[in-house]
Amino acid sequence: AIPLGQKTCLHLHNAFPYFFVDAEEITIEQANDYCHKLYICIERALELTQSSIKHQQKQHVYKIVLVKGKQFYGFHPCEKAYFKIYLFNPSNIEKVANLLRSGAILGKKFEILECHIPFLLQVFLDYNLFGMNFIKLSNARFRLPIRIRPKKFGKNQIKLIMQAINHFIKLVK
């Protein structure tokens, strides 16, 4: 909340839910073609599962990229290749993970990692955010008019706060 006691809402751009799929058998040369095949198959599978829903999304998968990393669970001395699959909707994570695990996509059963982590927790971890901690923003805006609760503040305090807010708004613009 800001000093006036108003709560704030943060709209964060370019934060998409994701999970990892083991890409053990894929070479770097095959990666782009395989990512494209995987992308198309996931899109088609989700279209089929949502065919009866009137307001279905046109696109489900944001992107698929090849990444390298060490598996978190257990001892693994070497890095492995993984596909990082980004989706537009966090509610589709479990659906896609189940389709990949079952072998419904590309006729292969995939090993899925980190699909159990809730989207909000992923965002907090990726952007190094902590509950009840300050967030420093380079670009912020207030919705006008800014309402003040006069019960909490005296008239002089309200004038000073309004001057500070107006000064902040000019700096942001």
Side-chain angles (χ1 to χ4, degrees), residues 107-170:
K108 178 184 174 189
K109 292 184 179 186
F110 291 92
E111 182 185 354
I112 311 298
L113 300 160
E114 296 191 14
C115 71
H116 64 286
I117 300 174
F119 174 56
L120 190 57
L121 181 58
Q122 273 184 342
V123 171
F124 274 46
L125 293 170
D126 291 346
Y127 290 92
N128 202 25
L129 301 175
F130 303 96
M132 302 302 291
N133 199 3
F134 290 104
I135 299 175
K136 295 178 183 176
L137 304 172
S138 61
N139 186 3
R141 293 188 180 96
F142 285 99
R143 286 188 183 166
L144 298 175
I146 297 172
R147 295 188 185 104
I148 299 173
R149 297 180 187 162
K151 293 178 186 176
K152 285 189 172 183
F153 301 100
K155 289 183 180 180
N156 291 336
Q157 288 176 316
I158 291 174
K159 286 180 184 177
L160 290 172
I161 291 170
M162 286 304 295
Q163 288 173 351
I165 289 173
N166 289 331
H167 178 70
F168 177 76
I169 290 171
K170 288 177 188 174

Side-chain angles (χ1 to χ4, degrees), residues 4-103:
L4 296 175
Q6 296 168 318
K7 294 181 180 174
T8 58
C9 177
L10 176 66
H11 183 82
L12 188 62
H13 291 266
N14 295 324
F16 296 99
Y18 63 85
F19 61 95
F20 295 95
V21 173
D22 191 10
E24 189 175 310
E25 300 171 7
I26 307 303
T27 63
I28 294 173
E29 294 81 25
Q30 299 170 325
N32 284 340
D33 291 335
Y34 200 82
C35 281
H36 186 68
K37 276 186 204 175
L38 194 58
Y39 176 90
I40 289 172
C41 288
I42 292 171
E43 285 290 341
R44 285 184 185 156
L46 284 174
E47 284 173 13
L48 291 173
T49 60
Q50 296 180 347
S51 62
S52 62
I53 300 171
K54 286 185 179 181
H55 304 290
Q56 68 182 21
Q57 288 178 285
K58 292 182 181 178
Q59 190 177 2
H60 303 90
V61 180
Y62 174 64
K63 67 179 176 180
I64 301 175
V65 294
L66 184 68
V67 296
K68 279 189 160 189
K70 283 190 179 181
Q71 197 170 356
F72 185 76
Y73 302 103
F75 174 73
H76 301 279
C78 301
E79 288 186 336
K80 288 176 64 177
Y82 298 96
F83 290 114
K84 190 172 185 181
I85 301 176
Y86 293 90
L87 301 177
F88 283 108
N89 189 345
S91 66
N92 286 336
I93 291 276
E94 196 62 34
K95 292 175 193 172
V96 175
N98 287 335
L99 289 168
L100 288 164
R101 272 191 207 110
S102 69

